[in-house]
Amino acid sequence: MTSPPAAQDPRDDAGTIPGCAPTVVVGLVAAPGAAAELARGVAGELAAELSARHPEVTWRVPVVEDGLVQPPADDAELVAATRERLLSADWDLAVCLTDVPLEVSRRPVVAHASPVHGVGVLSLPALGAVGRRRRAVETAVGLVQALVSDGDDDPADPGDRAALGLRLRQLATDPDGSAEGVRFTARVLSGNLRLLSGMVRANRPWRLAVRLSRALTAAIAAGVFALVTPDIWQLADAYGAWRLALVGVGSVVAIAGALVVGAQLWERPRSRRVRKQVALFNAATVATVVIGVLSLYLALFVLALLGGLLLVVDPLFAEGLGHPVTFPDYLELAWLTCSLATVGGALGAGLESDEAVREAAYTYRPGTVEDAPRDVDPGVRADNRA
């Protein structure tokens, strides 16, 4: 008796079953009072507008009344609190309607978006008193598109629309619940690479080190000390390429680990329902930190090489090495110096506050005046880019 043929997986590359539109859930979290009333009034319009723009998925917009934080509060606190609600409710994205005024460089803004968290924040005071409902819908639509786009997608371009549609379907689709551990994470990453790349790009990881003043100061101080130490010259000459590479990898891992663990950037899934959200968040966080640290490492290498050529004169360098100096000797010295400087940066990163690290790792993107609705006051900036 022959066994029946194994059933083929009907899902496509996006993880969905053809003919069945997946559902993207955008939760609206509104502060009690006027914000909650507005949220209940615009939920249906927001779902309809999103469905009209992106019919490849089904949109659901539940409304939850929750103050989240006690004023005064900034956008980072609101994003963190909204993400807590997103994970507990198992939403795909969340938009917080708050009556807390938001500012960037002392200027009020309508909204902020944090793609890596999947969270947008809309400030009602900046919407004005006239046409508030329509402006809220327009801005919320822009926030959702900012959360799922790469930042340079053109809705009028068929290729960009197709890519955005694929990312929406990936966002709405959970991997096979039977996969565990590494297999689960690998499937999440392989199926959501475009979405993940957009989240990391929105964080602007190359700016990470610049925002962490203590880590940067410690790295530069350690580099200067290493550069003028004769023992470091001899070690760089004796190590060889593979040892220098090992030290470099270790220094990058050290500072990246100090930032992720020290600031508690790593999330743990509280249930199976939110594993995909948490896996994407952790992957984007680690990628952001690693790229930021590698950017710092490259900058330190260039500075160490220039400093070595300027400060470590040939006769003194040759005397310390015991042989004539060539340009590769300066490259080896710069390599070891920047690795030690990066380790110093890890020590400095331990002195950074958790809030400073989170603000450095996660970029909340304010929009521009040109992106705001036409009848919004020019002094107010909105993030409703497509």
Side-chain angles (χ1 to χ4, degrees), residues 88-130:
S88 64
D90 193 22
W91 298 331
D92 298 303
L93 302 169
V95 175
C96 170
L97 277 69
T98 179
D99 49 13
V100 176
L102 301 179
E103 293 184 347
V104 170
S105 300
R106 299 183 179 180
R107 298 187 62 186
V109 296
V110 175
H112 284 175
S114 178
V116 71
H117 293 87
V119 169
V121 179
L122 194 161
S123 175
L124 296 187
L127 289 177
V130 179

Side-chain angles (χ1 to χ4, degrees), residues 4 25 66 99 155 165 231 254 257 362:
V25 181
D66 191 339
D99 49 13
D231 290 342
Y362 305 129

Side-chain angles (χ1 to χ4, degrees), residues 292-353:
V293 173
L294 288 175
S295 300
L296 170 65
Y297 191 88
L298 179 60
L300 290 174
F301 178 83
V302 174
L303 292 175
L305 180 59
L306 295 176
L309 293 172
L310 180 63
L311 300 177
V312 184
V313 295
D314 284 0
L316 191 60
F317 196 17
E319 182 181 350
L321 298 181
H323 62 74
V325 174
T326 60
F327 185 71
D329 293 321
Y330 281 101
L331 291 177
E332 292 173 343
L333 175 60
W335 195 352
L336 182 59
T337 297
C338 75
S339 296
L340 297 177
T342 304
V343 173
L347 299 177
L351 301 177
E352 299 281 2
S353 66

Side-chain angles (χ1 to χ4, degrees), residues 22-43:
T23 300
V24 176
V25 181
V26 182
L28 291 183
V29 185
E37 294 179 7
L38 181 62
R40 286 189 286 267
V42 304

Side-chain angles (χ1 to χ4, degrees), residues 25-347:
V25 181
V26 182
L28 291 183
V29 185
E37 294 179 7
L38 181 62
R40 286 189 286 267
V42 304
E45 297 180 34
L46 177 59
E49 181 65 24
L50 291 172
S51 296
R53 296 193 181 201
H54 305 288
E56 59 271 15
V57 296
T58 300
W59 295 89
R60 188 162 65 88
V61 185
V63 178
V64 173
E65 184 174 332
D66 191 339
L68 295 178
V69 297
Q70 290 293 331
D74 58 18
D75 61 303
E77 295 177 81
L78 287 167
V79 167
T82 305
R83 178 163 178 81
E84 290 285 332
R85 173 64 75 167
L86 178 151
L87 293 176
S88 64
D90 193 22
W91 298 331
D92 298 303
L93 302 169
V95 175
C96 170
L97 277 69
T98 179
D99 49 13
V100 176
L102 301 179
E103 293 184 347
V104 170
S105 300
R106 299 183 179 180
R107 298 187 62 186
V109 296
V110 175
H112 284 175
S114 178
V116 71
H117 293 87
V119 169
V121 179
L122 194 161
S123 175
L124 296 187
L127 289 177
V130 179
R132 171 178 288 194
R133 180 165 173 164
R134 178 176 58 83
R135 292 173 182 170
V137 172
E138 292 176 352
T139 307
V141 170
L143 277 173
V144 171
Q145 295 191 154
L147 294 177
V148 299
S149 69
D150 283 341
D152 55 359
D153 289 332
D154 182 3
D157 185 275
D160 286 344
R161 284 189 59 84
L164 182 56
L166 177 60
R167 290 197 295 277
L168 286 170
R169 296 173 67 191
Q170 291 170 343
L171 179 68
T173 307
D174 290 325
D176 189 351
S178 63
E180 297 292 343
V182 175
R183 289 178 55 198
F184 171 85
T185 304
R187 183 164 183 180
V188 170
L189 298 183
S190 62
N192 293 273
L193 287 178
R194 286 293 299 272
L195 182 62
L196 179 61
S197 65
M199 294 165 67
V200 175
R201 180 178 179 182
N203 278 345
R204 300 178 182 178
W206 49 89
R207 298 185 179 183
L208 175 68
V210 178
R211 302 190 189 109
L212 299 176
S213 57
R214 293 178 181 176
L216 185 60
T217 300
I220 294 176
V224 172
F225 177 78
L227 193 62
V228 297
T229 303
D231 290 342
I232 301 298
W233 305 349
Q234 296 175 6
L235 287 176
D237 186 53
Y239 269 6
W242 71 270
R243 282 194 178 90
L244 290 172
L246 185 61
V247 173
V249 171
S251 65
V252 170
V253 171
I255 189 171
L259 291 172
V260 173
V261 176
Q264 300 179 350
L265 301 181
W266 187 267
E267 283 189 353
R268 294 184 180 276
R270 304 163 193 172
S271 67
R272 294 175 63 88
R273 296 181 300 111
V274 298
R275 288 188 309 158
K276 179 181 176 181
Q277 280 276 1
V278 172
L280 280 173
F281 176 86
N282 287 337
T285 296
V286 171
T288 296
V289 173
V290 169
I291 293 174
V293 173
L294 288 175
S295 300
L296 170 65
Y297 191 88
L298 179 60
L300 290 174
F301 178 83
V302 174
L303 292 175
L305 180 59
L306 295 176
L309 293 172
L310 180 63
L311 300 177
V312 184
V313 295
D314 284 0
L316 191 60
F317 196 17
E319 182 181 350
L321 298 181
H323 62 74
V325 174
T326 60
F327 185 71
D329 293 321
Y330 281 101
L331 291 177
E332 292 173 343
L333 175 60
W335 195 352
L336 182 59
T337 297
C338 75
S339 296
L340 297 177
T342 304
V343 173
L347 299 177

